Amino acid sequence: MKRRSLLLGAAAGLAAPAVLTPAAPALAADRPLRPGRGTPPGQRPWSVPQLQNRASALTTLPAETKQVIIVGASSYTTTYATLEAYVRVRNGWHPASASLPARIGSKGFSDNHVEGVPTTPTGVYSIGPTMYGIAANPGVLYPYHRLVSGDWWNENPSSARYNTFQQSATSPGGASEALWKEVPAYTHFAVITYNMPPNVSKPVPNAGSGIFLHQFSTSAGNATAGCVSLAHAHLVDVLKWLDPALSPRIVLSPYAQLSRY
């Protein structure tokens, strides 16, 4: 899905990572964030709510999942969200970060996302097996592919490779993205497995494609075409924290609907 920015938001910063347990590093659990991009106009950036351990109420996560990210918002229609990270320790969920300011689709959340509509799909998803970026690997635990000319995300519903990474000298068609040209959004990004395995066996044509966790496209912070975006430093901390050995999941939902997950 093409990233098209809305010029909204405020300034950003980052608290240094802290350690929750030796086996599961935290992101910033014991420190307040400095003012962050992506804060709604008129709201003090540092007034983002502290974690309420929302992960403890989730009931559908696989038993093997030891890390979960919750991207939540106050309603279906807002574009302002928070990202919260949790780690499962001794059968209980514990916060791994403070609430990080995030942005979602310019038309908010949707339970029925479709291709070309700038909503963020609700649900529980995995993190794709490879992380990507225009810049060098910042130190992630996943396999990392540094983008080069000819790296596309196929967003052509008529293509047999719809909603997959593709290396091609020409565009796969439709709204396919030239990933190496998306600066600064794709400095680094993780794939959210909406409309792709393991959530579905095969992408469903027109159900939507290219849902990523990536950097703000503008210096001010901005709504997206359906992805989740963060300030650069926050994004890097999250990507470095995610561990494929811990089967992480990401939950996308308005807060009032989290109980269904």
Side-chain angles (χ1 to χ4, degrees), residues 22-102:
L27 297 175
D30 62 347
R31 310 175 190 201
L33 293 176
R34 298 196 295 273
R37 291 190 181 97
T39 304
Q43 177 177 314
R44 294 170 60 177
W46 52 90
S47 68
V48 175
Q50 292 302 302
L51 296 191
Q52 301 174 28
N53 205 348
R54 292 184 172 96
S56 63
L58 299 174
T59 60
T60 67
L61 296 178
E64 66 271 19
T65 292
K66 301 295 191 270
Q67 291 178 323
V68 65
I69 290 170
I70 297 175
V71 177
S74 60
S75 72
Y76 272 96
T77 57
T78 183
T79 71
Y80 292 91
T82 58
L83 183 148
E84 302 171 356
Y86 298 86
V87 61
R88 198 198 311 251
V89 180
R90 300 183 187 90
N91 297 319
W93 288 105
H94 298 270
S97 78
S99 295
L100 306 178

Side-chain angles (χ1 to χ4, degrees), residues 2-4 6 30 33 35 51 85 112 121 149 168:
K2 292 290 182 184
R3 302 323 140 201
R4 290 296 178 259
L6 296 183
D30 62 347
L33 293 176
L51 296 191
N112 298 287
S149 178
S168 173

Side-chain angles (χ1 to χ4, degrees), residues 97-120:
S97 78
S99 295
L100 306 178
R103 298 298 298 273
I104 58 173
S106 61
K107 290 194 174 181
F109 280 118
S110 174
D111 295 337
N112 298 287
H113 176 72
V114 294
E115 189 70 46
V117 179
T119 54
T120 295

Side-chain angles (χ1 to χ4, degrees), residues 101-237:
R103 298 298 298 273
I104 58 173
S106 61
K107 290 194 174 181
F109 280 118
S110 174
D111 295 337
N112 298 287
H113 176 72
V114 294
E115 189 70 46
V117 179
T119 54
T120 295
T122 55
V124 180
Y125 306 103
S126 298
I127 301 299
T130 301
M131 291 183 179
Y132 300 88
I134 294 167
N137 186 345
V140 302
L141 299 175
Y142 279 74
Y144 185 88
H145 175 76
R146 188 167 186 180
L147 297 169
V148 297
S149 178
D151 286 346
W152 299 84
W153 199 264
N154 186 327
E155 302 186 13
N156 179 0
S158 300
S159 170
R161 297 189 63 185
Y162 177 57
N163 202 20
T164 66
F165 173 83
Q166 185 172 342
Q167 228 290 328
S168 173
T170 58
S171 170
S176 295
E177 289 190 89
L179 299 174
W180 73 99
K181 295 182 179 180
E182 292 286 345
V183 181
Y186 295 166
T187 301
H188 311 289
F189 71 89
V191 177
I192 297 171
T193 61
Y194 169 76
N195 196 29
M196 59 188 300
N199 285 79
V200 295
S201 59
K202 183 179 180 180
V204 177
N206 289 304
S209 58
I211 303 299
F212 305 144
L213 176 62
H214 67 75
Q215 180 178 328
F216 291 142
S217 298
T218 69
S219 60
N222 56 284
T224 73
C227 293
V228 177
S229 63
L230 297 172
H232 171 78
H234 290 166
L235 175 71
V236 169
D237 264 5

